């Protein structure tokens, strides 16, 4: 039952006004009542055109005739728990016959695969909403404990995401004890437990004294599409037994983009991985008209253009750029779905409010890239800043917080730059390119077009804010952007701190960015030693590459030579070692840096080998995590640090020889 205003039945009615939810979109200086209503009008049109709805005007005695009213009642879904093994090609799988814990054939097979998962053979569980995916993880976790496993980890972006897993554990193992994100139970005299870990806790948990890093607990990853692909690949290398589960529609529908991003790593690292789809709905009947209607109205099934079509035309045909009219976009359902499909598959988290913001958010600009008539790229731009002097001062002092204006307000309030609130910004909220058209310069070309248009409109800065990740940092640096600020906490959407970068669009505005960037470089080491101490080394290494190359003094060379030869301790030498490493690191071309940060090799630092020093030097020298030098004792860690000093001295010696200057001492 959906109650709607009368004018929703009249497409040409002039009474369209935003509903209460538009208050979240109305950033300063706009009021909710002034916003367009393209989203609501599209919604009303979809309801009017649906053959599965009965419309009952308030002045009518009975509902109007509708196939939905007079069609016969749909039957309940049939649950087949007695599968004939001879009809099933995978009949060797046990537990699929008379499985009283599972409700569908799909779920039973998934549980069996997850229960018997072997080393280096990951399982990827993909499902639409309401197919029992999380319940399958819970059933499989319980059975793994009953079969002898003592410990199992479940990673997800929030504890709420795995509530169904723990509910099923409690039901199947009623003697167990639930405590927040942990479930403990005694099975056949063994103390067993299942633990939820936030994504940023997974790798540090491997360092716990009771964990064997060579044979860690089984890891289940729920709603894996909400976790950066680089982190998933890292887990794939670290955990011999791992399973990924994700939703392929319903905005967690980044599941499709997740499969694109993760498939290559699965094929390369674990070629015997298994993909298991769950197709049969459990919460409702197959073919439920309400599910189909909801998908249609909210673009839950928005798809990108067929990959083969894009691949066939991307190279020979030119790319054209078009600033989209949002009123026209709302009426062009095919284009809207292809545009929104690009955004959904490219981002970690999308919500229904994003579709509303796309169509009706104030001061939003949409630039699309087309190959022929197919959209292969989309850039969503939000206009920000430009506050008057009094309001900018109040924002700067933390006395006012107008809605919206992420970059301008964050840099003014948290960064301390009042000029950031006075300046005008265009923030690139999202940018997406079709997977089959990537690395063709389409994203860079869209950014160049956005920058050119912003300059024409006298905008001061082009900015971006995203969950820090090395490949993204490299991408934005290649576009000329520089880092201005790092958030001190991890974002829920990406699991990483927010990174803010910008590009000056005029000589006058460059001075402010120079100042903010210089402060970023200067303050970063202090943040790494405290608030950002637990951030992954490769993320930190991408930040550290920005900034001038330190000039090493003769005294620094002498101290490193003394330390490398066996003198002193790491603590007193750390500042000189840190300076020397930065000098090497910032001499590396950006392309080399990106290659090193994408490298999957890990291992001890070899004599003269600096290419592996990133994973060692960053945590040990900047985050004071000496355990990165060696997993063994103090002596081994000190030896590793001396080896790093010797490798750096050798590099400086060779560099001076090439440049024709005197070699460094030692």
């Amino acid at each position: 039952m959906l109650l709607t205003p009368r004018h929703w039945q009249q497409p040409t009615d002039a009474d369209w006004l935003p509903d209460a939810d538009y208050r979240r979109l109305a950033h300063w200086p706009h009021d909710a009542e002034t916003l367009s209503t393209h989203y609501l009008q599209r919604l009303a049109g979809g309801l009017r055109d649906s053959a599965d709805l009965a419309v009952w005007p308030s002045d009518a005695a009975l509902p109007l005739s509708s196939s939905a009213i007079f069609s016969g009642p749909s039957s309940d879904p049939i649950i087949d728990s007695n599968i004939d093994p001879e009809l099933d090609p995978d009949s060797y799988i046990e537990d699929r016959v008379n499985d009283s814990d599972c409700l569908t054939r799909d779920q039973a097979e998934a549980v069996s695969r997850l229960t018997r998962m072997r080393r280096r053979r990951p399982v990827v569980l993909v499902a639409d909403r309401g197919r029992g995916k999380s319940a399958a993880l819970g059933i499989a976790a319980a059975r793994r404990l009953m079969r002898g496993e003592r410990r199992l980890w479940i990673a997800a972006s929030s504890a709420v995401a795995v509530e169904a897993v723990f509910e099923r554990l409690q039901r199947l193992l009623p003697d167990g004890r639930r405590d927040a994100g942990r479930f403990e139970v005694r099975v056949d005299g063994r103390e067993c437990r299942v633990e939820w870990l936030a994504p940023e806790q997974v790798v540090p948990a491997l360092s716990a004294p009771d964990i064997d890093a060579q044979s860690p607990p089984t890891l289940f990853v729920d709603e894996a599409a909400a976790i950066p692909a680089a982190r998933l690949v890292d887990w794939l290398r670290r955990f011999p037994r791992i399973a990924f589960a994700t939703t392929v529609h319903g905005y967690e529908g980044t599941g499709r983009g997740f499969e694109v991003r993760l498939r290559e790593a699965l094929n390369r690292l674990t070629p015997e991985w298994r993909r298991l789809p769950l197709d049969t709905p459990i919460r409702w009947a197959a073919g439920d008209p309400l599910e189909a209607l909801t998908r249609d109205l909210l673009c839950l099934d928005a798809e990108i253009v067929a990959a083969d079509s894009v691949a066939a035309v991307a190279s020979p045909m030119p790319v054209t750029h078009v600033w989209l009219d949002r009123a026209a976009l709302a009426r062009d359902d095919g284009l809207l779905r292809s545009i929104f499909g690009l955004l959904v598959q490219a981002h970690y988290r999308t919500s229904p409010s994003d579709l509303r913001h796309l169509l009706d958010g104030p001061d939003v600009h949409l630039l699309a890239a087309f190959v022929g008539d197919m959209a292969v790229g989309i850039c969503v731009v939000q206009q920000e800043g430009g506050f008057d002097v009094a309001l900018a001062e109040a924002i700067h002092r933390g006395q006012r917080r107008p809605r919206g204006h992420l970059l301008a307000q964050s840099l003014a309030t948290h960064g301390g730059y009042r000029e950031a609130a006075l300046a005008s910004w265009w923030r690139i909220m999202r940018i997406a390119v079709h997977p089959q058209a990537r690395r063709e310069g389409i994203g860079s070309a869209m950014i160049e077009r956005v920058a050119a248009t912003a300059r024409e409109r006298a905008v001061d800065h082009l900015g971006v804010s995203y969950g820090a990740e090395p490949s993204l940092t490299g991408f934005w640096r290649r576009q000329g952007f520089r880092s201005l600020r790092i958030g001190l906490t991890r974002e829920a959407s990406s699991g990483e701190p927010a990174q803010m970068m910008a590009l000056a669009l005029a000589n006058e505005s460059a001075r402010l960015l120079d100042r903010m960037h210089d402060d970023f470089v200067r303050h970063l080491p202090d943040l790494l030693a405290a608030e950002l101490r637990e951030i992954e080394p490769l993320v930190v290494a991408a930040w550290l590459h920005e900034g001038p190359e330190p000039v090493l003094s003769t005294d620094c060379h002498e101290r490193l030579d003394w330390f490398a030869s066996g003198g002193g301790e790491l603590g007193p030498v750390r500042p000189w070692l840190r300076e020397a490493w930065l000098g090497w690191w910032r001499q590396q071309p950006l392309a080399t840096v990106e290659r090193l940060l994408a490298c999957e090799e890990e291992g001890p630092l070899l004599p003269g080998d600096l290419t592996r020093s990133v994973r060692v030097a960053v945590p040990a020298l900047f985050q004071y995590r000496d355990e990165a030098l060696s997993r063994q004792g103090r002596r081994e860690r000190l030896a590793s640090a001396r080896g790093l000093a010797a490798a750096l001295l050798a590099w400086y010696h060779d560099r001076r020889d090439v440049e024709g200057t005197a070699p460094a001492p030692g």
Side-chain angles (χ1 to χ4, degrees), residues 62-174:
L62 292 173
L64 301 180
S65 298
S66 167
S67 59
I69 290 295
F70 296 105
S71 60
S74 60
S75 59
D76 292 333
I78 299 175
I79 307 302
D80 183 4
S81 61
N82 188 21
I83 303 167
D84 184 353
E86 296 182 358
L87 300 179
D88 181 7
D90 292 330
S91 58
Y92 60 89
I93 299 179
E94 301 173 15
D95 294 351
R96 292 186 61 195
V97 178
N98 297 322
D99 191 328
S100 59
D101 297 325
C102 298
L103 295 177
T104 67
R105 179 193 300 263
D106 298 342
Q107 193 179 58
E109 179 177 357
V111 167
S112 183
R113 292 283 183 184
L114 292 167
T115 303
R116 291 169 170 77
M117 188 169 53
R118 291 188 283 174
R119 292 178 64 91
R120 313 309 301 167
R121 296 187 180 184
V123 171
V124 178
L125 200 62
V126 293
D128 205 340
R129 295 174 63 86
R131 266 65 179 175
K133 167 180 55 63
S134 295
L137 293 178
I139 297 169
R143 292 186 181 178
R144 293 189 72 92
L145 298 185
M146 289 186 285
R147 291 172 182 265
E149 201 155 344
R150 291 177 177 270
R151 199 165 184 177
L152 187 144
W153 291 346
I154 299 180
S157 56
S158 68
V160 175
V162 294
E163 184 63 29
V165 176
F166 284 98
E167 286 179 358
R168 194 54 56 103
L169 277 168
Q170 189 74 68
R171 184 180 304 176
L172 296 178
L173 299 171

Side-chain angles (χ1 to χ4, degrees), residues 12 48 78 275 496 508 577 607:
T12 59
R48 286 194 305 267
I78 299 175
R275 181 184 189 274
E496 303 291 358
E508 301 76 24
L577 194 54

